[in-house]
Amino acid sequence: MRLKNVLILLMSIVILVGLSGCGGNASSENTGAGKASPTAPSNGGEDLAKFKGETINVLSWEGYQEDEWVKPFEQKYGVTVKVTYAGSVDEMFAKAASGSVKYDLIFMDGGSVNRYHKMNLIQPIDLTKLTNTKQLIENMKSLNDKHVVKDGETYAVPFAWGSLPMMVNTDKIKEPIDSWNALWDSKYNGKIVTLDDAANQTAMTALLLGFEDPYNLTDEQLDQVKKKLLEQKPLVRTYYSGFEDGKNLMASDEGWIGFSMGPTMITDLQKEGKNIVEVIPKEGALVWIDNAVIGKDAKDPELVHVYIDYLISSEVQAQLIKKTSYGGVNADSASMLTAEEKKVSHMDDPNYFNNLVYVAFPESFEKRVKLWNEIKAAQ
Amino acid sequence: MYGKNLMLIIISIWVLLFIVLPVSAMLLFSFWSVENFQVIHSFNIQNYAKFFHDPIYLSLFGKTIKLALIVAVLSALISYPLALFVNHRGGTYKTILFLGVLAPLWVGYLVRIYSWRSILGESGFINSLLVLTGILKQPSSSLLFNSFAVVITMLCISIPFTFIPIYSAIEKIPGNLAQAAADLGANGSRAFWTVTFPLSLPGVVTGFMFAFITSFGDYMTPSLVGGTSGIMYGNIIQTQFGNSYNWPLGAALSMIMLLFILALIAATRKIGNVQAIFEE
């Protein structure tokens, strides 16, 4: 009989191991407990009591709904901001599409707005109800509008952004780097790291190949991208599969040069004492802009508008930048930052956007995933 | 009797909730399709057809079988002498040695993979040792990010699963059988091959299958230590559930994997007759 017990134990271990493998996508709820900040929102003159007791259900990325700015809003209006965090684009989409919870406010990259709009999950935003939109960084907003304005209606308001630049270890690579071609340079054979991500890997290669719209490629262009990526494959140390994975590779010198997941990856490495710099190549780099959108079945759209307007105010945006180092969307918030904070978040340089290409919704995720799998499977 | 019925009910609910329902849902999904991010609920077998038409699926399926086989064979080859040793020479340390072999299971799955990365990496433990002792002049980059690293990492995960059934099978063999063999004039190796090994075979087969199955479905190990070609069948399934939002194709690919594993278990049941070990 002892063997039977051992087998049962073994099976339980197998199940536990299986479960722990699925536990990667942590989601948590934050009802906004914590210390309050003295800065209360100042939308003076309106009736503060009319939203009392209401709840806003928010589906958000980690870091976008911090106590520093959520608490004062809740106190001022007597409302509750109930936050659900998503760990990935897919998880967010699955949560929003399942419909089990009706989210009033959802945060997503502007490229995804198209999909949510097509699936009829969101409603247009009434810009006349927002007072802070005129402070939005101009060239960023016009870039964003191309993707979130449908049939004359605005479906999303930008909230934060970040670029996907190249990262270069200047201790190892002395020559100046100014092109994505460096990731195809046999000089750095075995020291190149790049992202295990079908859509953005394809888009970056399309930028290098000079295609006009890297998110709308013809089958023939996709073939050229594939050829180019196959050329690169033998030189690449590995395709990294996430923020921490990529940092780990650069920190341990497995990689000297790479396609990064954002400036915060580079500033984190600098804090660890690595001489790694950000390069925006001459072909341009990709930029994601996260937007706030209103759910189709929002209980009180008026309250959601007030909250969005608060979130894009210069005060909240300055707090966001200080806390996360992401780019903010409110031009006035720059005056509340130190020179160092402005530099890290690129709020000191309005021209930074001119060489960036919007992370849009690709012509077909399916084709890109297939292309990328074929590259990894190639011998 | 009451307790027994209650147990039965709990087990049935467990099986229904965690095995029957999810697998049925998967089966159902595998016959649907996706258009414009909407799942179309109409029956067709195009997802299964894709598996046989597109060479990428079959070739990765083959590659995955090959890697899982290598892991399972090595795992059995390593676990068997280990189990013999712990059982025959373990003495008073038997329990400690037994738990020692299971130690990798105490560490989280991802932590284990990352640990191997720092052991095999260019500035890792093995390279530092080789450079320090003068065996290598330059740290080697060929330890990490290839199939070798994938096999090593998977072995670390699969050896405990192979070890337990083999150990149990060997432990079960009555000591007087070996004595009888010796009395009848069989030398050590003859006694092993005619008595011990055949009696422990079911444990070997069970352990082999555990190792094969755990490596077959693994997708984190190849993507974290497998380098640019770090892709196995599990990765293909995983990518269908991501942004490409092709759950039906992912479900069909999973069903194929499930059926393959079930067929394999059925085929090896004869040799690895678990019941035979239970009945003493």
Side-chain angles (χ1 to χ4, degrees), chain A residues 61-75:
Chain A
W61 301 120
E62 209 88 41
Y64 286 4
Q65 309 294 320
E66 298 295 308
D67 288 342
E68 286 93 326
W69 53 91
V70 172
K71 254 324 198 194
F73 184 82
E74 287 182 321
Q75 277 169 356

Side-chain angles (χ1 to χ4, degrees), chain A residues 192-330:
Chain A
I192 296 163
V193 294
T194 173
L195 190 53
D196 188 357
D197 174 305
N200 291 331
Q201 190 70 252
T202 311
M204 180 268 277
T205 312
L207 277 183
L208 174 60
L209 290 172
F211 298 148
E212 198 178 331
D213 184 352
Y215 285 92
N216 192 9
L217 302 175
T218 62
D219 285 355
E220 193 202 326
Q221 286 174 324
L222 282 171
D223 270 349
Q224 287 180 41
V225 166
K226 184 177 169 187
K227 237 202 239 140
K228 190 79 181 164
L229 283 167
L230 281 173
E231 242 171 68
Q232 184 197 32
K233 183 173 168 172
L235 306 173
V236 175
R237 183 72 174 128
T238 189
Y239 303 126
Y240 68 88
S241 56
F243 199 83
E244 291 304 321
D245 190 12
K247 257 166 54 180
N248 180 301
L249 285 167
M250 291 300 282
S252 61
D253 288 339
E254 296 283 351
W256 291 353
I257 183 167
F259 181 23
S260 87
M261 283 181 81
T264 39
M265 198 160 161
I266 296 158
T267 47
D268 280 1
L269 283 161
Q270 286 166 351
K271 278 179 210 149
E272 282 175 31
K274 303 297 284 188
N275 287 322
I276 291 173
V277 297
E278 172 186 330
V279 173
I280 299 288
K282 59 179 186 233
E283 298 89 1
L286 304 172
V287 61
W288 52 262
I289 300 180
D290 274 346
N291 282 254
V293 302
I294 304 182
K296 180 84 189 157
D297 302 308
K299 278 185 296 293
D300 185 355
E302 204 186 334
L303 172 61
V304 183
H305 278 92
V306 174
Y307 188 48
I308 292 177
D309 201 35
Y310 168 66
L311 288 176
I312 60 170
S313 67
S314 52
E315 292 87 359
V316 172
Q317 284 289 316
Q319 284 174 310
L320 174 81
I321 295 164
K322 281 175 198 285
K323 184 134 188 178
T324 63
S325 307
Y326 290 135
V329 295
N330 191 312

Side-chain angles (χ1 to χ4, degrees), chain A residues 3 6 233 245 254 370, chain B residues 54 117 122 164 168 171 229:
Chain A
L3 181 65
V6 173
K233 183 173 168 172
D245 190 12
E254 296 283 351
K370 190 159 175 295
Chain B
D54 198 322
R117 220 155 91 161
E122 257 173 80
I164 297 174
S168 305
E171 199 192 27
S229 291

Side-chain angles (χ1 to χ4, degrees), chain A residues 54-176:
Chain A
E54 289 188 32
T55 300
I56 311 177
N57 269 317
V58 184
L59 182 56
S60 173
W61 301 120
E62 209 88 41
Y64 286 4
Q65 309 294 320
E66 298 295 308
D67 288 342
E68 286 93 326
W69 53 91
V70 172
K71 254 324 198 194
F73 184 82
E74 287 182 321
Q75 277 169 356
K76 182 177 174 194
Y77 289 97
V79 298
T80 310
V81 176
K82 196 163 173 262
V83 187
T84 307
Y85 289 115
S88 65
V89 176
D90 328 314
E91 192 191 340
M92 175 169 283
F93 181 69
K95 278 191 165 134
S98 82
S100 55
V101 177
K102 303 254 183 270
Y103 291 104
D104 302 303
L105 177 61
I106 309 171
F107 286 82
M108 66 184 74
D109 65 289
S112 292
V113 170
N114 187 30
R115 173 196 284 205
Y116 283 73
H117 174 246
K118 265 191 182 163
M119 284 190 73
N120 204 15
L121 293 168
I122 55 179
Q123 60 172 294
I125 291 175
D126 184 354
L127 291 175
T128 60
K129 287 191 178 137
L130 303 179
T131 56
N132 291 324
T133 42
K134 49 186 179 299
Q135 294 163 19
L136 293 176
I137 300 169
E138 231 164 273
N139 47 4
M140 185 270 310
K141 185 179 181 293
S142 58
L143 183 65
N144 190 58
D145 278 350
K146 284 183 207 143
H147 298 268
V148 303
V149 177
K150 312 269 168 203
D151 308 322
E153 304 255 42
T154 301
Y155 281 87
V157 173
F159 174 72
W161 58 270
S163 57
L164 302 177
M166 188 150 64
M167 50 186 171
V168 180
N169 186 331
T170 49
D171 281 341
K172 307 286 185 186
I173 296 175
K174 304 287 182 197
E175 63 172 334

